[in-house]
Amino acid sequence: MARLGTGLAIFALCFALCNCKVNVIQSLDGTWVGRETDYWYEFPTTVPGGVYSDLMDLEIIDDVFFGFNDNVTSWVGTINWTYALNFTIDPTLLEYENVNLVFDGVDTFADIVLNNVTVGSTTNMFVRYVFDVKDILKAEGNNTIVLKFINAPEVGLKRNEEQLKKYRIPWECPPDAYRGVCHINMIRKMQASFAWDWGVALPSMGIWKPVYIEAFDETVIRHLVPRVSKSEDESKYLITINTYFAPNQRNTVSGTLNAKIYLDNNEEVWNDFDIFEKSSGDEDIVSSVTLSIDAALVQLWWPNGYGEQPLYELAVSFTDGENGATISKKVNIGFRFVELVEESLEKGQTFYFKVNGEPIFVKGSNEIPINILPELGQDRQTIRYLLQSAKEVNMNMLRVWGGGVYESDYFYEIADQLGIMIWQDFMFACSLYPANELFLADVVAEVDHNIKRLYHHPSIVVYSGNNENEGVLSDNWYSTADNYDQYKADYVALYIETVRAQFERISGGEGVFISSSPSNAKLTENEGWVGQSPSNQYWGDVHFYNYVLDSWNSNSYPIPRFCSEYGYQSFPLEDSWMTATNITADLKLTSEFMDWRQHHPLGNEEIALLISENLQLPDSESEHFSSAFFYLSQIYSAQAIRVETEHYRRYRSYLTEEGNGYTMGALYWQLNDVWVAPTWSSIGRYPDSIQHIYYYQTMEAFTAG
């Protein structure tokens, strides 16, 4: 029913009359004490934060993104650190039935000790950890919390050694050119933090998200997961709202749940529901209710370039049936309906997205981590800048790549507002992974937390199980053919029986999920989830990189159904380089500094070849050679990106005689950078953020329509 705000006054009167306690949160963010574990050298740390950023802020180490400092400071990520805090609490806190210590994000491995009692440990940077500390906290005097970090490279090495007693799981180590760290696939941490062909190795540690104590009697609302569907005659929208409550001492949640959506013109649609839900162990307690709303009362959410992005506040409050205490949570939602259309053709199937029944040609890029130090990737100014930059060149999608992090709530909120659709990878990339009980339990918690956290965002239109891992196995990247059956069983156990199963449980089977990118979509499924040839042009999506053929000739490119990665490496210009060095000799292409920053094997040779196909480099002995090389690398890549993008757009509406075409997506690699180096990015590392020439070419290639 649609009602105006009389219910709010009644609620306020009831709240004033009840004899109830309000849930309490005591933040533990702020200044902690950091220690190098072996020698107990002490220094002040900031929470949320990380050891690299703390040491830089205190000028104990220099800027790790400058010069060779990533190498000079590599010891930071390979020793153990301790974070500690003394704090007091209000004694009334312990009068509540439930008192928890909550970490929204710990990077990555730490034993947590409160008042000399080990309350638990952390093993996954992508999840929230909640520990019952009611019987450990002291009402009077100081409480002491200590996090004893174990460095991630050490844990990865030990896990790999244990795994080798059974069989190897590659990728064990990156190529030497990466200047990286081994065994990142053994642990649940940002995969790129151990280095990539575009990025620096900084194996971070720290409390990278807020930490706090929460106290409550009945419960708290952890997550709201709304799912919008249409009534049979499409005259109404049905909002199924799954409310996830924290488990409690009573093992039940009983009372009245009020679900309300705020519409235009100060109108509201709401309803009260009597609920009684039981706990099934340590898992969240879930209650599911449905609101019905006339479709005419709301406007649809559209991708950038197709319409507006109206958002509506959904508020859920719960009143305890025993003592009248009330808790609430709010999220913004959009009304949009997404389909991944896979219709049979003479050869293969289509692969494109419809939003609200409208076929969408996807135009955009791949987003890598906003910062390789995850605590710095939460910066709102940087996030706003990158997403606004995407919108301004007519992009309508970004792919959150699987070697980074599930981005901050703010990232997805801005995407919602700007109409930037999100292709969300789960955080697995370019490797095979364990499927043992310990690893899979970590993954279940990871998927559970992040889908519940993110699913309400209308911008997220598709979830992908991993980046390129089907191809890793199918195309024998790491010489795994001799144990293929084992690796395939592990692959299916991880991405299908765990990631997909958990995703479908939370989404009610209504979300769009693909097992990998690239993948042959339905053909991959029919072949047992590992296709014979991922990146088949007639099925699913492809990743395509060309380092030999003429990049300005459209005949060099495939004609796929959807191209979710393509790009060209280039060098930053001198102004960008001088934010990373103050030595002009470093700007020579043959300098030790340039060699250190080039992580792509044979990268310079490939760039030189691609330049030479259409442009003229000066003599290598010329004093202007390096400057010309930098500039021409951007010229060749900018034009190549434009030619390739327009090539894909050209085939959106028709098929060739061979059955190629109906190409409905172009996501170039990559949007942003994590340091100043030869990479594939169109925007430099923020805050310097010098845009490469091909950023402006995408504006032309991604013109409206």
Side-chain angles (χ1 to χ4, degrees):
M1 67 192 79
R3 302 184 184 177
L4 301 182
T6 55
L8 190 60
I10 296 172
F11 164 76
L13 176 62
C14 292
F15 184 82
L17 294 176
C18 82
N19 181 22
C20 53
K21 301 199 296 286
V22 177
N23 291 357
V24 174
I25 290 180
Q26 178 177 332
S27 174
L28 298 181
D29 294 349
T31 301
W32 289 42
V33 175
R35 300 187 183 99
E36 194 281 316
T37 300
D38 290 337
Y39 299 101
W40 286 80
Y41 169 77
E42 291 192 0
F43 55 95
T45 66
T46 300
V47 172
V51 65
Y52 276 103
S53 52
D54 283 332
L55 295 176
M56 283 192 291
D57 289 343
L58 295 167
E59 299 183 351
I60 295 172
I61 62 173
D62 293 327
D63 181 359
V64 295
F65 299 104
F66 192 85
F68 293 91
N69 289 338
D70 59 304
N71 187 41
V72 172
T73 64
S74 61
W75 57 272
V76 172
T78 57
I79 64 174
N80 300 330
W81 300 87
T82 299
Y83 278 31
L85 176 71
N86 290 326
F87 64 97
T88 61
I89 63 169
D90 186 324
T92 61
L93 200 71
L94 297 182
E95 295 176 4
Y96 287 84
E97 293 183 21
N98 305 272
V99 182
N100 296 324
L101 175 62
V102 183
F103 291 88
D104 280 344
V106 177
D107 182 15
T108 293
F109 298 96
D111 294 324
I112 300 170
V113 180
L114 177 63
N115 295 335
N116 296 316
V117 177
T118 300
V119 299
S121 60
T122 65
T123 57
N124 188 327
M125 74 173 289
F126 303 125
V127 305
R128 172 192 287 144
Y129 285 92
V130 181
F131 303 103
D132 181 354
V133 294
K134 179 177 171 64
D135 296 330
I136 303 172
L137 283 170
K138 295 185 292 188
E140 303 293 339
N142 274 337
N143 291 272
T144 301
I145 183 172
V146 178
L147 269 70
K148 299 177 180 179
F149 285 95
I150 307 168
N151 71 82
E154 178 182 335
V155 176
L157 175 61
K158 289 180 178 178
R159 289 189 174 186
N160 186 68
E161 290 172 346
E162 191 65 26
Q163 177 62 44
L164 286 175
K165 295 176 182 178
K166 302 174 183 176
Y167 53 93
R168 63 183 280 262
I169 297 183
W171 198 11
E172 294 97 328
C173 295
D176 292 342
Y178 283 28
R179 281 85 179 181
V181 183
C182 299
H183 311 307
I184 187 62
N185 62 329
M186 292 288 112
I187 60 179
R188 296 312 300 140
K189 176 177 172 58
M190 181 200 293
Q191 301 293 280
S193 67
F194 278 24
W196 221 263
D197 57 358
W198 42 259
V200 54
L202 294 172
S204 51
M205 272 177 281
I207 305 171
W208 71 294
K209 289 187 177 182
V211 54
Y212 48 93
I213 294 171
E214 63 178 14
F216 56 89
D217 282 333
E218 178 81 352
T219 189
V220 295
I221 299 175
R222 291 276 186 239
H223 302 282
L224 298 179
V225 180
R227 305 194 307 269
V228 180
S229 59
K230 299 177 182 178
S231 63
E232 190 171 342
D233 64 1
E234 299 191 357
S235 65
K236 295 184 181 297
Y237 295 147
L238 307 176
I239 311 171
T240 300
I241 306 160
N242 284 351
T243 302
Y244 289 88
F245 297 96
N248 56 32
Q249 298 295 329
R250 306 176 192 178
N251 295 318
T252 62
V253 169
S254 177
T256 300
L257 188 145
N258 175 272
K260 179 184 299 183
I261 186 162
Y262 294 87
L263 306 175
D264 299 328
N265 303 317
N266 296 317
E267 193 171 6
E268 304 166 358
V269 174
W270 60 272
N271 208 342
D272 288 331
F273 305 88
D274 293 329
I275 65 170
F276 179 84
E277 308 292 350
K278 291 185 177 182
S279 172
S280 56
D282 294 332
E283 294 184 354
D284 293 342
I285 303 169
V286 61
S287 177
S288 183
V289 301
T290 300
L291 274 182
S292 176
I293 180 172
D294 289 340
L297 294 178
V298 298
Q299 301 178 57
L300 295 175
W301 184 97
W302 291 94
N304 181 35
Y306 286 82
E308 301 301 316
Q309 295 81 42
L311 298 171
Y312 299 90
E313 184 179 284
L314 173 66
V316 171
S317 61
F318 169 75
T319 303
D320 185 343
E322 182 174 320
N323 61 26
T326 297
I327 56 175
S328 62
K329 189 174 181 66
K330 300 176 181 179
V331 296
N332 287 330
I333 67 171
F335 290 83
R336 59 95 179 105
F337 303 91
V338 178
E339 303 170 67
L340 176 57
V341 181
E342 298 171 283
E343 296 174 339
S344 294
L345 300 171
E346 187 173 340
K347 286 187 177 180
Q349 289 186 330
T350 63
F351 186 94
Y352 68 93
F353 295 96
K354 278 186 178 181
V355 177
N356 304 326
E358 180 76 17
I360 305 294
F361 185 90
V362 168
K363 303 178 291 186
S365 185
N366 287 261
E367 182 259 2
I368 63 171
I370 290 172
N371 198 298
I372 214 69
L373 298 177
E375 67 274 12
L376 302 183
Q378 309 297 294
D379 181 71
R380 292 190 168 200
Q381 187 173 356
T382 308
I383 292 167
R384 166 67 78 169
Y385 170 78
L386 288 175
L387 291 174
Q388 187 66 42
S389 296
K391 180 182 175 69
E392 288 175 358
V393 292
N394 305 309
M395 295 187 199
N396 58 31
M397 178 181 277
L398 291 176
R399 175 172 172 248
V400 177
W401 170 73
V405 298
Y406 307 93
E407 294 292 355
S408 68
D409 294 333
Y410 184 74
F411 176 94
Y412 301 98
E413 289 166 7
I414 299 303
D416 293 343
Q417 295 170 20
L418 298 180
I420 304 297
M421 295 182 292
I422 299 297
W423 173 314
Q424 179 66 56
D425 280 0
F426 288 95
M427 295 299 122
F428 306 89
C430 299
S431 189
L432 299 181
Y433 289 83
N436 57 57
E437 184 177 352
L438 175 67
F439 194 87
L440 293 181
D442 252 352
V443 172
V444 167
E446 176 181 325
V447 177
D448 181 90
H449 174 67
N450 285 287
I451 296 304
K452 289 175 182 175
R453 179 174 73 92
L454 300 177
Y455 195 78
H456 69 274
H457 289 286
S459 57
I460 306 178
V461 298
V462 59
Y463 295 81
S464 173
N466 63 72
N467 172 75
E468 298 184 348
N469 295 349
E470 181 187 343
V472 166
L473 182 54
S474 178
D475 296 334
N476 198 29
W477 287 16
Y478 306 132
S479 302
T480 55
D482 60 345
N483 199 17
Y484 176 83
D485 289 344
Q486 178 66 63
Y487 293 126
K488 181 177 180 180
D490 289 350
Y491 183 95
V492 173
L494 176 55
Y495 301 113
I496 307 306
E497 296 171 0
T498 302
V499 174
R500 189 183 76 150
Q502 191 74 356
F503 171 78
E504 292 192 342
R505 183 182 69 83
I506 298 167
S507 69
E510 296 178 11
V512 178
F513 178 90
I514 58 176
S515 59
S516 183
S517 177
S519 180
N520 294 338
K522 291 291 186 182
L523 180 60
T524 285
E525 183 175 351
N526 294 338
E527 293 177 340
W529 299 109
V530 179
Q532 294 183 10
S533 179
S535 283
N536 186 317
Q537 295 183 46
Y538 301 110
W539 300 83
D541 65 316
V542 307
H543 295 183
F544 181 78
Y545 291 94
N546 161 49
Y547 299 126
V548 178
L549 303 174
D550 182 358
S551 61
W552 290 10
N553 185 337
S554 63
N555 292 324
S556 298
Y557 301 113
I559 308 173
R561 305 296 185 223
F562 193 111
C563 193
S564 50
E565 276 193 31
Y566 62 98
Y568 288 93
Q569 191 185 42
S570 65
F571 276 71
L573 302 180
E574 282 95 335
D575 286 349
S576 293
W577 281 117
M578 292 309 292
T579 67
T581 181
N582 53 15
I583 302 172
T584 55
D586 285 343
L587 301 189
K588 289 190 175 298
L589 188 64
T590 55
S591 70
E592 182 183 2
F593 175 74
M594 286 294 168
D595 179 65
W596 182 258
R597 294 268 167 152
Q598 173 59 281
H599 284 194
H600 181 53
L602 299 178
N604 291 5
E605 291 80 0
E606 291 170 353
I607 292 172
L609 174 62
L610 290 165
I611 290 173
S612 68
E613 287 172 339
N614 292 285
L615 300 165
Q616 182 67 48
L617 275 166
D619 187 275
S620 60
E621 300 301 318
S622 166
E623 64 177 314
H624 302 298
F625 177 78
S626 295
S627 178
F629 192 93
F630 301 156
Y631 177 71
L632 293 176
S633 77
Q634 291 208 15
I635 293 295
Y636 103 82
S637 63
Q639 182 63 11
I641 286 290
R642 179 170 181 173
V643 169
E644 188 168 0
T645 300
E646 292 177 345
H647 167 78
Y648 295 137
R649 295 194 70 186
R650 190 175 300 122
Y651 286 95
R652 63 184 291 179
S653 301
Y654 71 93
L655 296 173
T656 68
E657 291 182 359
E658 295 77 18
N660 300 89
Y662 288 168
T663 307
M664 286 295 286
L667 300 175
Y668 72 82
W669 185 268
Q670 64 202 64
L671 179 69
N672 55 309
D673 251 335
V674 297
W675 69 333
V676 180
T679 75
W680 292 252
S681 75
S682 58
I683 300 175
R685 175 177 172 258
Y686 195 88
D688 309 308
S689 297
I690 298 173
Q691 292 165 332
H692 294 203
I693 294 171
Y694 89 67
Y695 170 81
Y696 297 101
Q697 285 287 67
T698 62
M699 185 180 298
E700 298 297 323
F702 286 155
T703 51

